[in-house]
Amino acid sequence: MEDDTTAADLRRRVASVLAEHDPATSDPLEFHRARFDAGLAWVHFPEGFGGLGLARELQPFVDGLFEEGGAPDNNSKINGIGLGMAAPTILAAGSEEQRRRHLRPLWTGEEVWCQLFSEPDAGSDLAALGTRAVRDGDDWVVNGQKVWTSVAHLARFAILIARTAPELPKHQGITYFICDMTAPGVEVRPLRQITGEAEFNEVFLTDVRIPDGQRLGADGDGWRIANITLNQERVSIGGRDTPREGGILGMVADTWRQRPDLRTPELHDRLLTMYVESEVARLTGVRMRQKLAEGKPGPEGSALKLTFARLNQELSGLELELLGEDGLRYEDWTMVRPQKVDFTQRDAGYRYLRAKGNSIEGGTSEILRNIIAERVLGLPAEARADKDIPWKDLPR
């Protein structure tokens, strides 16, 4: 908390919104709009864009006051990409008009966003993307295919990167756009995964016209802006405020306590090791949020995302070993399209299978290891023979 004056002012502002828009009787959407207009959506955003220009560390304090007052949820779990990645990118690189058009309905949950980054032929090398955007008058005409796109079937808008200058090396000549998911030529197909669900989608873009006014940043500046998004993504996935013994660790620990018949010394040692590592990760997350609040983002986001993926996979595997045959039962293979990932309300088999995706989504573990090795530890960079070769000349 900055000081008592700031705290008192925020209490007064929150109380005013709650008094004028009683959550018990108000339309939830009108409540969210009022909260945004009062600058209490993201207090660290500028005034006029849902914030008050205050320190980020004040946000939990404000959220707590609204929670105590019974404020409704703003679809935050479904719109995690919009809130965690699109919004900070639009704030950092968008025009005044783009900020005014998109931030308010994004925060209120009126418009869900998805992320059109990954491609089937690029693998973990995002800079190798082949989706093309060609300028045609005041529009860009986009053709290509994206994959592993969460909530594309629900999204109104997408953040999209496409290649606009194939004669340049792969990290150059990429441009960042806002894509209207209802535009002609956008086709979303469900992508069924190992869990049996179709949580992700393939998105096909055929002669999709994007007005130049929906370009985010300068032509050819897409890779730099994409890294703003990716940094936010790692923090969003790996840096969640998890309580002690939260997440899958809590479920494994409960099984351990409730089923003494399943215990062995070897499983005991593994559980203790993962418990300690989970606690280290949790405390690292606390430090990361403190540094973010001070405006000093560090490498913890990449490290946390990497650790989150490894621990989820190891813990869900340990849970299956603990449960033996009981852990092999799977509740339902019916294809459904869930709106959010929920590890806590499913059985151990689901957690084990779904955790496999943690090391792919939001940046693969291999890429994150490279980032940490080169940018944090200062180790020699991996050899990149294609660094200065025009993208159009790269073998594919």
Side-chain angles (χ1 to χ4, degrees):
M1 185 62 56
E2 282 188 338
D3 53 49
D4 292 341
T5 302
T6 303
D9 181 56
L10 287 172
R11 286 185 185 278
R12 179 185 59 76
R13 289 173 183 266
V14 171
S16 176
V17 172
L18 290 170
E20 294 178 17
H21 304 273
D22 183 353
T25 57
S26 297
D27 176 75
L29 178 56
E30 293 304 319
F31 181 90
H32 294 317
R33 288 172 173 169
R35 178 174 168 178
F36 184 94
D37 294 341
L40 298 169
W42 297 289
V43 295
H44 53 290
F45 274 35
E47 292 189 44
F49 299 112
L52 296 169
L54 300 175
R56 183 194 291 259
E57 64 182 337
L58 294 167
Q59 188 66 46
F61 174 69
V62 170
D63 291 342
L65 293 176
F66 275 112
E67 187 175 350
E68 290 172 8
D73 180 71
N74 63 336
N75 216 7
S76 57
K77 291 184 178 177
I78 296 173
N79 204 17
I81 292 172
L83 294 165
M85 299 160 220
T89 306
I90 293 170
L91 181 67
S95 65
E96 181 86 1
E97 182 180 354
Q98 289 167 339
R99 294 173 180 176
R100 293 202 179 281
R101 164 63 185 86
H102 292 295
L103 290 178
R104 189 174 188 249
L106 187 161
W107 191 85
T108 61
E110 292 171 82
E111 293 176 346
V112 174
W113 286 63
C114 66
Q115 181 183 12
L116 297 177
F117 277 24
S118 297
E119 296 191 4
D121 293 330
S124 59
D125 185 4
L126 179 61
L129 63 90
T131 293
R132 291 289 313 278
V134 178
R135 187 70 183 261
D136 182 23
D138 293 332
D139 294 341
W140 294 83
V141 180
V142 180
N143 283 279
Q145 180 188 352
K146 300 291 180 174
V147 72
W148 306 118
T149 309
S150 303
V151 302
H153 55 296
L154 304 172
R156 175 67 175 82
F157 287 101
I159 43 179
L160 162 73
I161 50 176
R163 190 164 300 282
T164 50
E167 70 279 9
L168 296 176
K170 65 180 183 180
H171 289 89
Q172 304 174 33
I174 294 174
T175 301
Y176 202 117
F177 298 95
I178 295 171
C179 178
D180 184 343
M181 293 294 288
T182 66
V186 177
E187 181 186 2
V188 178
R189 300 178 190 172
L191 188 62
R192 198 174 188 193
Q193 59 213 67
I194 193 172
T195 60
E197 299 178 335
E199 176 193 329
F200 302 106
N201 300 275
E202 294 176 293
V203 179
F204 295 84
L205 306 161
T206 306
D207 294 332
V208 178
R209 300 191 77 87
I210 298 180
D212 188 54
Q214 291 178 205
R215 171 172 45 83
L216 204 65
D219 181 5
D221 199 24
W223 184 248
R224 183 188 68 83
I225 301 172
N227 274 283
I228 296 174
T229 306
L230 296 174
N231 286 334
Q232 293 292 333
E233 184 177 39
R234 289 159 195 152
V235 170
S236 179
I237 293 176
R240 295 188 178 101
D241 187 7
T242 304
R244 178 176 290 176
E245 207 176 287
I248 295 181
L249 173 65
M251 286 173 272
V252 178
D254 285 343
T255 300
W256 179 266
R257 296 186 182 103
Q258 295 164 10
R259 299 286 303 273
D261 55 305
L262 303 175
R263 300 174 186 173
T264 69
E266 188 266 342
L267 292 175
H268 181 246
D269 287 346
R270 285 170 59 191
L271 177 59
L272 282 181
T273 299
M274 292 182 207
Y275 193 103
V276 171
E277 291 182 354
S278 297
E279 187 64 5
V280 170
R282 187 184 71 82
L283 294 174
T284 303
V286 172
R287 184 174 68 175
M288 180 193 71
R289 288 186 287 278
Q290 289 173 342
K291 293 180 72 172
L292 282 174
E294 296 170 356
K296 301 174 182 175
E300 290 86 353
S302 294
L304 278 174
K305 199 280 173 181
L306 185 64
T307 303
F308 160 80
R310 181 178 60 79
L311 280 175
N312 261 12
Q313 291 174 357
E314 292 181 358
L315 282 164
S316 61
L318 176 62
E319 186 178 26
L320 280 195
E321 289 186 60
L322 267 173
L323 292 171
E325 292 182 358
D326 290 343
L328 298 179
R329 297 192 178 96
Y330 200 78
E331 57 189 39
D332 189 1
W333 283 97
T334 304
M335 191 185 92
V336 295
R337 308 195 75 184
Q339 297 185 347
K340 60 183 179 182
V341 178
D342 188 349
F343 281 91
T344 61
Q345 301 300 315
R346 304 296 297 275
D347 59 27
Y350 172 84
R351 284 190 282 277
Y352 177 75
L353 294 176
R354 180 59 185 81
K356 301 300 179 188
N358 291 155
S359 54
I360 301 173
E361 57 197 349
T364 66
S365 294
E366 290 76 12
I367 292 295
L368 293 176
R369 288 191 182 95
N370 276 352
I371 291 172
I372 293 169
E374 296 173 16
R375 302 181 191 176
V376 180
L377 301 178
L379 297 176
E382 188 178 47
R384 296 186 174 97
D386 59 357
K387 183 178 179 181
D388 298 318
I389 300 176
W391 176 84
K392 64 181 178 58
D393 296 332
L394 294 176
R396 280 184 285 278

